[in-house]
Amino acid sequence: MRHQQILDKLAARGAVQALDWEVAHRVRQQMYARPAAREELACKVIIPILARWRCLLDGDDALPSRKNVVRVALATVLHKYGFQDADITAQAVTAIDELNRDVVLSDAFERQSDDIKKFLSAPPLPLTRKPSVSRPTTFLRAGDVLSIELGGRFHAAYVWGVSGFNETPRLEFYAGTFTEPPTMSDLMRRRAARPAAHARLHVSGLTYLPDPAQQVKAVAAAYPEGPRGSESAHGPGYTVTDVISLQQHMAALFGPAGTR
């Protein structure tokens, strides 16, 4: 049994590709930062990955079958990169049974279900080197207005442009947070978040819209005006980050979830 064999059977290419890039990039980033104990490295990888994908897993607008496929994909991708979490693995095992009960995937998946469960339950092989990561890409475009959820709170961002060859969007956050996804009526004439140096970000890994994790949702497209008070697309420089570390920037800019 190989990890890719399991992932191919899930018939969820977008979610699998997003998870694989995010986990590999996070692992590589943390391994570059400084040597860490295996348990510490696992926490720095698993906790922020879960915070992003809980938008789908704990949300009300995704089908149970979709959630179960992602549960299996999450356990498999973590296992691939040398990590295992008891709760995530247990949820994946239950998800496999539910996917088979509801006849969601192929006969081949059902036939190999016991082997998949055993494979994911076995200790993963620890990584011996930093994982390779493909060049980031994005389908976002200048003028996109986004709602980004974190910890049950919603934030709005404007895409000033895309850098490289469709590689990374340049975002600027609007001021304030919301208890539900904002609309353009909420954002018209709304000021840019401050300080500007923390509100303007180059974000790699923010690839798909619709977002497979359902953390990022479209509010508008090709909207001609950014947040009020912004120094335009050529104002203060942008902080380089990625879709997982973005969550730390949001918490630093807006405060811990639960504050406004």
Side-chain angles (χ1 to χ4, degrees):
M1 181 66 63
R2 296 176 181 270
H3 296 99
Q4 196 58 48
Q5 289 176 299
I6 302 171
L7 296 172
D8 287 344
K9 289 179 173 62
L10 296 178
R13 184 178 177 185
V16 166
Q17 287 183 335
L19 270 168
D20 193 272
W21 192 94
E22 290 167 21
V23 173
H25 182 82
R26 183 69 178 178
V27 172
R28 185 178 180 87
Q29 181 186 60
Q30 293 303 314
M31 290 177 76
Y32 264 124
R34 64 183 178 85
R38 184 173 172 76
E39 295 78 10
E40 181 185 358
L41 182 59
C43 287
K44 289 185 175 182
V45 171
I46 294 173
I47 290 173
I49 293 288
L50 267 182
R52 169 164 154 72
W53 286 83
R54 281 197 192 283
C55 298
L56 180 145
L57 295 174
D58 294 345
D60 297 327
D61 52 353
L63 292 173
S65 59
R66 175 69 174 173
K67 294 181 181 183
N68 281 332
V69 165
V70 169
R71 288 186 181 106
V72 179
L74 176 59
T76 305
V77 171
L78 287 173
H79 197 277
K80 172 183 175 181
Y81 289 105
F83 300 101
Q84 190 176 58
D85 176 87
D87 288 341
I88 293 173
T89 302
Q91 290 173 21
V93 168
T94 300
I96 290 169
D97 291 335
E98 292 180 359
L99 288 167
N100 289 331
R101 180 198 65 200
D102 297 334
V103 196
V104 174
L105 299 176
S106 65
D107 291 342
F109 179 84
E110 183 176 14
R111 284 195 305 270
Q112 293 188 287
S113 289
D114 288 342
D115 291 337
I116 293 171
K117 292 178 194 176
K118 291 176 184 176
F119 183 79
L120 294 179
S121 298
L125 294 175
L127 288 181
T128 58
R129 58 183 180 181
K130 300 177 183 70
S132 61
V133 179
S134 61
R135 184 182 295 274
T137 187
T138 186
F139 296 110
L140 274 64
R141 293 294 179 264
D144 285 344
V145 182
L146 310 175
S147 169
I148 307 176
E149 183 182 353
L150 181 63
R153 189 174 63 181
F154 298 87
H155 313 73
Y158 184 81
V159 180
W160 282 111
V162 176
S163 298
F165 187 68
N166 297 331
E167 290 176 11
T168 57
R170 301 191 304 276
L171 309 183
E172 182 166 21
F173 279 98
Y174 291 83
T177 63
F178 305 85
T179 57
E180 58 186 23
T183 65
M184 282 313 304
S185 62
D186 297 319
L187 301 177
M188 285 180 183
R189 308 294 295 165
R190 181 174 285 267
R191 297 193 65 82
R194 290 291 182 264
H198 294 168
R200 299 165 69 89
L201 303 162
H202 261 293
V203 187
S204 61
L206 190 51
T207 301
Y208 302 101
L209 207 60
D211 175 20
Q214 295 190 182
Q215 183 182 37
V216 182
K217 296 183 179 180
V219 178
Y223 194 72
E225 297 178 2
R228 227 177 122 207
S230 171
E231 290 87 350
S232 84
H234 303 291
Y238 291 77
T239 299
V240 176
T241 189
D242 60 82
V243 70
I244 301 301
S245 300
L246 173 64
Q247 299 172 123
Q248 295 173 274
H249 293 284
M250 291 165 65
L253 184 62
F254 296 101
T259 65
R260 298 271 307 198

